[in-house]
Amino acid sequence: MPNASDRPRRVTIDRDGPIVVEGPVEVVLEDGSVVTSQRFAAAICTCRRSRTYPWCDTSHRRRTSRARGEPQQPCPRSDGAPE
Amino acid sequence: MTTSQEGPVLSPREERRRLVQSLRRRPAGTVLPQPRGALSASVIPALQGAAHPLPGHADVARADPYGEDLQLALYILYEMHYRGFEGVDDHLEWNAGLLGLRGILEDRFLTALRKDTPHGRSVDDALADLLVEPVGDDGTSVTHFLRNEGQLWHLREYAAVRSLYHLKEADPHAWVIPRLRGRAKAAMVAVEYDEFGAGHAEDIHAQLFADLMADLGLDTTYGHYVDVAPAEGLATVNLMSLFGLHRVLRGALVGHFAFVEVTSSPGSRRLAEAMRRTGAGPAAERFYAEHVEADAVHEQVVRHEVIGGLLADEPALAPDVAFGVEATGVLEERLGNRLLGAWRDNRTALRTPLPDLSSS
């Protein structure tokens, strides 16, 4: 929250998910364009699969056949690296 | 008020004054629904002030806990805690007899849910199922069906049923706020603030849904579609009212909220695609597009801060949180089966079909 406290802005990292940044936040993209989120927190995509990049759209989730009781099969990809 | 057809000719100003007055007199509440069996047929006259005997344990024990009659009776009693009904005395919200009946109905519903959900699973296990996405359409997902083959009439039926939930979106979750502390409370309020439009009435998610309904040619009046909604739809709303109204079920309420936020983002993307493909309209598309991004954030905050904070505070609530997740899943699956079962047979999933777009 803006001016909510003097402590540094918190950024939360999740190995298998987005980076969550206290909002509002501006993100400068590679082409120099700037996008803004006014939310109290923004989830920034790190898997590069999001169709609403740079915002997370949960595309990082593992994909699996839905049949109950079957082991979850992560889809093949290079250890979390951007594709 | 009776008006005579041969009344005096009114000046335009007087006519307008009377119109404004009559609009102001329009009640904010919903019209009481039509009964669906003995239980709901007893509740309705009792709310209308008739000295009507209320059902007891034996009557409730005979009813299907997920059936039309019990779910409607419960829905009506819960509605007294939200906005009430036209012509019903608001004081009846705290009528001891009606609350007693509500408790009996809740016991029956809750007992069935406990029986139908797995026992002894951890919160992480309960959520893990939701954090994977099916590869393609496995035939059980309503949002996959709507994205791939949904027609406008499917989307209208879906929105009519879901309106009971979305027009009170986030409302029962606000009841948990005084029961939380510290991290869990701060995070829950932050997500709720987002749900309630972050200070802007036009951005309240329930309002965005009303805009979607207007795009689909539906009546946006609160509670308008209760009579056409099947029990499976009522049950999903009753669940959050049940969890929201009971402090003892605060863990389950948080679990319910987590289920909704975790599953919303990918489901909303499919629904946004369905709305776009069928040309439903900009507001219809916007509602789900907004939820893709908002709920990707909410999921993180609810899992890590609300659940994390609550369980750091009250670790004994873990089984309740897991139960809240699982019970929501059970009822969503029942609703999905009802919708897809009907639509695959090319018939309405509602109790009575909606009027055609052209005639509504």
Side-chain angles (χ1 to χ4, degrees):
Chain A
M1 297 300 233
N3 308 321
S5 74
D6 293 332
R7 68 168 171 76
R9 180 160 305 237
R10 177 165 295 176
V11 176
T12 307
I13 294 170
D14 180 347
R15 183 187 167 84
D16 299 314
I19 291 178
V20 179
V21 185
E22 291 178 348
V25 65
E26 283 183 351
V27 176
V28 183
L29 299 171
E30 281 152 297
D31 65 359
S33 62
V34 177
V35 288
T36 305
S37 171
Q38 297 291 343
R39 276 179 221 292
F40 69 94
I44 296 174
C45 171
T46 56
C47 73
R48 292 274 182 156
R49 289 187 196 144
S50 174
R51 280 175 279 182
T52 54
Y53 193 82
W55 316 121
C56 171
D57 72 350
T58 70
S59 291
H60 58 270
R61 287 186 187 170
R62 292 196 297 168
R63 302 176 79 82
T64 181
S65 100
R66 202 119 160 270
R68 294 198 164 193
E70 277 184 24
Q72 292 164 6
Q73 295 293 329
C75 75
R77 64 169 173 142
S78 58
D79 194 28
E83 296 187 321
Chain B
M1 191 180 78
T2 53
T3 46
S4 157
Q5 299 227 322
E6 297 86 354
V9 178
L10 301 174
S11 70
R13 171 188 283 249
E14 177 60 15
E15 216 167 344
R16 200 167 147 268
R17 195 187 65 81
R18 290 193 182 192
L19 176 68
V20 169
Q21 257 186 355
S22 75
L23 287 174
R24 283 205 183 121
R25 267 199 303 272
R26 276 182 61 174
T30 319
V31 179
L32 271 167
Q34 295 298 309
R36 299 184 192 178
L39 300 173
S40 46
S42 306
V43 168
I44 291 165
L47 286 176
Q48 287 166 325
H52 198 279
L54 289 173
H57 285 276
D59 306 298
V60 175
R62 277 194 293 274
D64 173 357
Y66 300 128
E68 299 287 348
D69 190 29
L70 187 143
Q71 289 298 324
L72 180 65
L74 199 49
Y75 189 93
I76 292 171
L77 291 170
Y78 280 145
E79 193 54 40
M80 293 302 292
H81 300 282
Y82 292 95
R83 299 204 199 172
F85 294 98
E86 180 183 339
V88 172
D89 181 358
D90 287 340
H91 291 95
L92 290 176
E93 178 186 357
W94 297 104
N95 175 278
L98 291 168
L99 287 178
L101 171 59
R102 202 192 84 191
I104 299 171
L105 298 171
E106 286 175 326
D107 276 350
R108 184 103 173 89
F109 186 31
L110 201 50
T111 303
L113 288 168
R114 295 222 185 262
K115 185 170 77 63
D116 292 340
T117 45
H119 289 269
R121 294 184 80 201
S122 70
V123 174
D124 283 347
D125 285 347
L127 287 173
D129 286 353
L130 307 178
L131 287 168
V132 287
E133 273 299 297
V135 177
D137 182 1
D138 67 355
T140 65
S141 156
V142 174
T143 55
H144 278 90
F145 174 89
L146 289 173
R147 181 191 65 187
N148 295 338
E149 50 192 300
Q151 298 168 34
L152 203 51
W153 73 269
H154 296 124
L155 293 170
R156 296 180 79 231
E157 291 202 346
Y158 183 76
V161 172
R162 285 293 190 195
S163 70
L164 305 185
Y165 160 71
H166 283 302
L167 293 181
K168 50 169 69 89
E169 188 171 335
D171 285 349
H173 300 98
W175 284 324
V176 85
I177 293 168
R179 301 158 188 168
L180 301 175
R181 293 187 298 173
R183 264 171 75 201
K185 175 176 256 175
M188 188 75 193
V189 171
V191 176
E192 286 281 273
Y193 181 69
D194 230 19
E195 299 281 349
F196 293 135
H200 302 283
E202 68 276 17
D203 292 332
I204 296 176
H205 284 184
Q207 179 59 49
L208 298 184
F209 195 80
D211 298 343
L212 165 148
M213 293 175 77
D215 266 2
L216 291 172
L218 295 171
D219 190 320
T220 62
T221 311
Y222 179 87
H224 181 81
Y225 292 106
V226 173
D227 277 330
V228 302
E232 293 84 350
L234 300 182
T236 61
V237 181
N238 285 339
L239 184 74
M240 62 182 189
S241 303
L242 168 71
F243 291 165
L245 283 167
H246 292 270
R247 181 169 60 86
V248 73
L249 293 170
R250 62 195 177 284
L253 190 280
V254 165
H256 177 274
F257 201 48
F259 181 102
V260 172
E261 297 294 358
V262 169
T263 53
S264 166
S265 204
S268 293
R269 164 173 308 290
R270 291 188 280 275
L271 291 170
E273 287 169 8
M275 295 290 172
R276 197 172 309 134
R277 182 172 53 71
T278 55
E285 220 182 295
R286 184 192 168 201
F287 176 82
Y288 290 112
E290 155 72 10
H291 279 72
V292 171
E293 187 196 313
D295 292 343
V297 175
H298 295 174
E299 175 214 318
Q300 298 295 326
V301 177
V302 171
R303 282 201 295 129
H304 298 299
E305 296 302 310
V306 180
I307 293 182
L310 177 68
L311 294 184
D313 234 16
E314 301 190 82
L317 292 185
D320 287 351
V321 176
F323 169 65
V325 175
E326 310 271 16
T328 309
V330 166
L331 294 184
E332 285 297 326
E333 193 176 321
R334 290 180 63 87
L335 175 59
N337 291 342
R338 163 85 187 211
L339 297 175
L340 292 176
W343 292 341
R344 292 216 168 96
D345 284 352
N346 201 30
R347 57 184 167 81
T348 179
L350 306 180
R351 288 168 51 78
T352 50
L354 296 172
D356 284 342
L357 260 180
S358 50
S359 62
S360 62

